[in-house]
Amino acid sequence: MSHSSTGSAGGPAEGDTFDAGATSLLRQPKAVWATAGASVVAFMGIGLVDPILPSIAKGLEATPSQVSLLFTSYFLITAVAMLLTGFVSSRIGGKKTLLAGLALVVVFAALAGTSGSVGELVGFRAGWGLGNALFVSTALAVIVGAAAGGSAAAILLYESALGLGMACGPLLGALLGNASWRYPFFGTAALMAIGFLCIAAFLKEQPRPARKTSILDPIKALGHGGLASAAVSAFFYNYTFFTILAFTPFVLNMTPYKSGAVFFAWGVLLAFFSVIVAPRMQARFGSLKVLGGSLVLLAADVLVLGYGSHTAAVVCTIVSGAFIGVNNTVYTELALGVSDAPRPVASAGYNFVRWFAAAAAPYFAPKIEEWTDIHIPFVVAAVTAVLGAVVVWVRRNALTEEAEELEPQHAGEDGISVFAN
């Protein structure tokens, strides 16, 4: 990797890149705004169900473990789809892949709102996960290809869409879900339909890659020790992440409005620390120290969440967004730069591994509570966060090259980290 500039501490001088990106951020063609707007809605769908999980459980006479399968089915399909997105987009092109993903989300989100049982809802969320995987895995590449001002502006715009979507999803879920748990699903379908029309009207077809991607390419990429290490560590971390996202609403047991406000604040911290704070911390302390420290602090936060008072649980839920934002940024930079595999292929393999934890945590957390008590799921989540830090420490030599040589333009590329290829 080459270095365009370095800061006083010997790390990347990320400020120049972000300032330049911010300057040209607003001067974008309609195609970019259409894709970014649809990206906001796509990411809103992740946290949309958070404030209404108790309402869904009540409305469908389901247990918390049954309702948590909404996340499990969604992310299990997302994990498998990571092997397919590059295969599909390299053959039919970016625009058609985006439209196919949006169409699936519109159909399955609308069907989710008509569900008569938790089984139907879980099934429709699985179809929604496939559509979302196709869309978000392609959106950043499309934005970079169509954006004015270079990749820095494109990445900043995409990350802004990610943060806005993650923050506003719980709010939309709370506002619409206060009347009925079905309305957030219909609202998402309507918004994504608008996104479909905008992309169809304003986005030109993007050039296809010179080489078509094989379904097995992401698996082969995991043969690289550094990439495999990043994926395994992220697997443990994601278990912690999605224990917070999927299980905490039952613990807080708040009205949709209050729960939506908590996760809105959580999403704001996630976005701010991912886009603004993490790159600056990396430049000063180094990626591996930042990641290891953040994982240990997240573990402590989760323990207080599980054993503290209700007020402490609310505060710790919100604060966890800061650690999650930092972790997401660093993990993606490690995954995308540690191996010599093409970035889309490396990211697909990395996400294929870690999304299985996102599917597992929502299922096992309420089950563990049924088997033990309400505190133990958070103990398990704290342990997995520490295990993620242990993998980073033990495998630090395999990850050091990327940790020391992050280029400024890579900083904050987490827009593709949390939910994309």
Side-chain angles (χ1 to χ4, degrees):
M1 294 182 185
S2 62
H3 296 271
S4 57
S5 61
T6 58
S8 58
E14 79 297 325
D16 296 339
T17 300
F18 277 92
D19 291 342
T23 300
S24 56
L25 180 64
L26 300 179
R27 298 194 295 269
Q28 301 295 339
K30 293 179 181 178
V32 172
W33 288 117
T35 307
S39 297
V40 171
V41 182
F43 292 124
M44 285 171 64
I46 304 295
L48 179 81
V49 298
D50 258 25
I52 57 173
L53 286 175
S55 299
I56 294 174
K58 183 178 180 180
L60 295 179
E61 299 180 350
T63 65
S65 60
Q66 289 175 319
V67 174
S68 293
L69 290 174
L70 293 177
F71 286 97
T72 298
S73 63
Y74 184 94
F75 288 114
L76 186 61
I77 295 299
T78 298
V80 176
M82 284 298 134
L83 302 180
L84 301 175
T85 51
F87 177 86
V88 172
S89 62
S90 66
R91 284 162 174 78
I92 68 173
K95 179 177 180 179
K96 291 179 181 178
T97 303
L98 289 179
L99 292 177
L102 286 170
L104 286 172
V105 172
V106 170
V107 170
F108 284 103
L111 288 173
T114 68
S115 300
S117 69
V118 69
E120 288 183 8
L121 185 54
V122 168
F124 292 142
R125 277 283 285 182
W128 185 342
L130 174 60
N132 220 45
L134 288 172
F135 176 82
V136 300
S137 65
T138 311
L140 178 58
V142 169
I143 290 177
V144 169
S151 61
I155 291 170
L156 185 58
L157 182 62
Y158 188 85
E159 286 183 347
S160 300
L162 165 66
L164 185 61
M166 289 296 290
C168 292
L171 278 186
L172 178 66
L175 292 173
L176 297 179
N178 195 56
S180 169
W181 65 264
R182 299 179 186 274
Y183 291 168
F185 297 110
F186 294 137
T188 299
L191 290 172
M192 290 302 257
I194 294 173
F196 181 97
L197 294 175
C198 290
I199 288 178
F202 298 122
L203 180 64
K204 296 180 180 179
E205 184 55 80
Q206 303 296 296
R208 300 182 190 181
R211 177 182 175 275
K212 293 181 179 179
T213 301
S214 164
I215 292 178
L216 295 179
D217 283 350
I219 301 296
K220 294 176 181 177
L222 289 170
H224 186 279
L227 181 60
S229 300
V232 171
S233 178
F235 174 90
F236 289 121
Y237 155 65
N238 260 33
Y239 186 95
T240 307
F241 178 180
F242 284 93
T243 296
I244 296 171
L245 192 62
F247 184 64
T248 301
F250 292 108
V251 176
L252 298 181
N253 194 26
M254 304 167 78
T255 65
Y257 280 137
K258 291 181 179 179
S259 183
V262 168
F263 279 96
F264 171 74
W266 169 86
V268 169
L269 279 185
L270 187 155
F272 180 76
F273 275 76
S274 175
V275 177
I276 304 299
V277 177
R280 287 157 173 77
M281 292 180 66
Q282 288 173 271
R284 182 170 182 180
F285 301 108
S287 293
L288 297 189
K289 289 181 180 179
V290 170
L291 181 58
S294 181
L295 286 169
V296 171
L297 290 173
L298 178 62
D301 181 82
V302 169
L303 282 178
V304 177
L305 196 166
Y307 281 93
S309 65
H310 187 270
T311 300
V314 170
V315 172
C316 288
T317 299
I318 295 172
V319 170
S320 71
F323 303 125
I324 289 170
V326 170
N327 294 338
N328 289 340
T329 293
V330 180
Y331 269 121
T332 297
E333 294 174 355
L334 293 175
L336 295 186
V338 74
S339 74
D340 55 0
R343 284 188 169 190
V345 174
S347 182
Y350 160 76
N351 281 294
F352 172 72
V353 173
R354 74 192 188 104
W355 281 130
F356 280 108
Y363 174 78
F364 283 111
K367 284 293 185 183
I368 292 171
E369 181 201 8
E370 293 174 9
W371 299 332
T372 56
D373 58 50
I374 199 169
H375 306 297
I376 303 303
F378 295 102
V379 174
V380 174
V383 170
T384 56
V386 172
L387 286 174
V390 169
V391 172
V392 170
W393 171 254
V394 172
R395 297 290 296 166
R396 61 189 181 280
N397 289 335
L399 297 169
T400 297
E401 179 181 355
E402 168 60 12
E404 291 180 347
E405 298 188 14
L406 290 174
E407 295 182 66
Q409 61 265 35
H410 295 173
E413 235 174 271
D414 183 58
I416 57 177
S417 71
V418 188
F419 310 104
N421 189 6

